[in-house]
Amino acid sequence: MSDDLMRAEPESAAELAFEGALRPQSLAEFVGQQKVRRQLQLLLEAAGLQNRTPDHILLAGPPGLGKTTLAMIVAHEGQRPLRMTSGPAIQHAGDLAAVLSSLVPGEVLFIDEIHRMARSAEEMLYLAMEDFRVDIMVGKGAGATSIPLELAPFTLVGATTRSGLLPNPLRDRFGFTAHLEFYEPDELHQVLDRAARLLSLAIDEDALAEIARRSRGTPRIANRLLRRVRDFALVRGGDADRAAVRAALELYDVDEQGLDRLDRAVLQAIVERFDGGPVGLSTLAVSVGEEAETIEAVVEPFLVRTGLLSRTPRGRVATARAWAHLGHAPRVTEVDDL
């Protein structure tokens, strides 16, 4: 095993432990997403009063907003066991059948990135969600036989960053769909304040506000930046104040608006290489050396939300704000004329 891999594995484990320690355990502790929290609370309380498993739940939204945390809370608040898997791990109907057949009554099954499941597994899931059974095919050809397998009642919690890729028959079988929104700076301030207390980190309010403002509306990023600031203050031997935040985030290429290296690379490619756009997603991905899915699911939502990027039928276009942010004189584009 190379030295790089040996260093990467402990770092990955440390990141997971860090994220896990900061996850709230109940809806009362969960910050933000107030409407979704109220809806989930009602759904879970109604299921408890009727002594039944809660309806299947679909959580949709950009990465880092708390979909996995909410799935854990659904299981915790209902005092039910939790089984976790992901769409890419289910590449055959047999993979899904093995998971479903081992569920205990009332268990919560969480499938992350559910839109990436194999099509054969999706079709098996239709019947499992509605009737709590699956049909297992035994044999091949003319002698093949379908054997029904009864399942224990369960609650499926699916998470997706691209709900539009879910087939309608699957989407319609969820009893409740929650759309998670980006957080406001004051909500991220609460997230960071709680995380700082859990980490026993002495940090002033101005420093927390600075991190919240640069966290792209995403709690996961806010917690990660807080850790980097803690490391910076620890190594440099200073206080975790606003000056330390600015210095730490400058070191890690996070600018005043929260844009990181990849965000700026995307904007610079559109402005400097394609004269502001429009430019297609695949061309843009090749230009910055990233996967198209990464740009569409991770980068674009924030850039569009902050008014730095527009998506048009002909492609992506940099707005006047993007030109100004990169230090260029704004150019009138087709989007500006609309």
Side-chain angles (χ1 to χ4, degrees):
M1 181 179 293
S2 69
D3 291 342
D4 289 340
L5 288 176
M6 291 179 67
R7 286 193 294 268
E9 287 183 1
E11 175 65 18
S12 177
E15 289 285 350
L16 289 174
F18 174 73
E19 296 288 347
L22 300 182
R23 290 187 191 277
Q25 301 297 313
S26 67
L27 287 173
E29 295 179 5
F30 193 92
V31 176
Q33 310 296 341
Q34 294 185 13
K35 185 174 182 179
V36 171
R37 283 164 48 203
R38 290 196 301 267
Q39 293 169 334
L40 275 176
Q41 189 72 55
L42 179 62
L43 185 148
L44 295 176
E45 289 183 2
L49 291 173
Q50 298 173 64
N51 195 28
R52 60 171 175 81
T53 57
D55 290 343
H56 303 301
I57 300 167
L58 178 64
L59 304 173
L65 299 187
K67 296 186 290 295
T68 301
T69 299
L70 284 174
M72 293 178 173
I73 289 175
V74 167
H76 184 266
E77 296 228 333
Q79 297 182 342
R80 301 173 183 275
L82 175 67
R83 183 80 57 90
M84 303 181 71
T85 186
S86 65
I90 303 175
Q91 290 303 305
H92 305 282
D95 299 334
L96 180 63
V99 173
L100 294 174
S101 61
S102 63
L103 296 176
V104 300
E107 190 163 359
V108 175
L109 173 61
F110 174 62
I111 303 181
D112 197 13
E113 295 299 303
I114 192 172
H115 64 272
R116 296 177 63 186
M117 278 198 314
R119 182 54 57 88
S120 59
E122 287 178 352
E123 293 171 353
M124 174 178 284
L125 198 53
Y126 300 160
L127 192 59
M129 293 173 70
E130 278 195 332
D131 300 331
F132 298 116
R133 71 180 179 89
V134 293
D135 292 332
I136 305 297
M137 297 300 298
V138 178
K140 295 182 179 180
T145 303
S146 176
I147 300 177
L149 175 64
E150 298 297 326
L151 304 175
F154 68 97
T155 296
L156 173 65
V157 180
T160 177
T161 55
R162 304 179 68 183
S163 58
L165 295 183
L166 283 177
N168 287 331
L170 179 58
R171 191 186 300 114
D172 292 343
R173 283 169 168 78
F174 286 96
F176 169 62
T177 299
H179 296 278
L180 277 62
E181 305 291 342
F182 284 107
Y183 283 57
E184 296 298 328
D186 60 331
E187 294 175 328
L188 288 176
H189 193 287
Q190 297 177 51
V191 171
L192 289 165
D193 182 64
R194 176 180 177 273
R197 284 187 278 107
L198 291 173
L199 294 171
S200 300
L201 174 64
I203 183 169
D204 60 42
E205 293 297 311
D206 288 342
L208 290 178
E210 184 74 16
I211 297 174
R213 189 169 60 83
R214 300 197 195 192
S215 296
R216 303 162 56 95
T218 306
R220 180 183 296 162
I221 295 176
N223 287 331
R224 200 164 292 165
L225 294 182
L226 179 66
R227 186 179 183 185
R228 300 285 77 83
V229 170
R230 182 192 63 175
D231 294 345
F232 184 89
L234 178 65
V235 171
R236 299 297 172 91
D239 296 328
D241 54 14
R242 189 173 184 179
V245 170
R246 287 178 174 272
L249 299 190
E250 181 180 355
L251 178 64
Y252 286 101
D253 289 329
V254 179
D255 68 16
E256 292 285 338
Q257 292 195 32
L259 273 64
D260 60 18
R261 179 202 61 80
L262 181 56
D263 298 321
R264 289 193 298 275
V266 168
L267 289 182
Q268 287 172 345
I270 297 175
V271 169
E272 298 172 4
R273 300 181 192 176
F274 301 103
D275 199 27
V279 55
L281 177 61
S282 58
T283 303
L284 181 59
V286 171
S287 177
V288 299
E290 283 288 345
E291 295 291 333
E293 184 176 351
T294 300
I295 294 176
E296 189 172 26
V298 179
V299 178
E300 282 190 350
F302 177 67
L303 295 181
V304 171
R305 177 173 176 262
T306 53
L308 296 170
L309 186 71
S310 292
R311 298 175 62 174
T312 72
R314 294 180 58 194
R316 278 63 178 171
V317 177
T319 66
R321 289 188 61 184
W323 285 75
H325 183 74
L326 295 176
H328 298 285
R331 179 180 70 83
V332 176
T333 66
E334 295 177 13
V335 174
D336 298 325
D337 292 335
L338 294 178

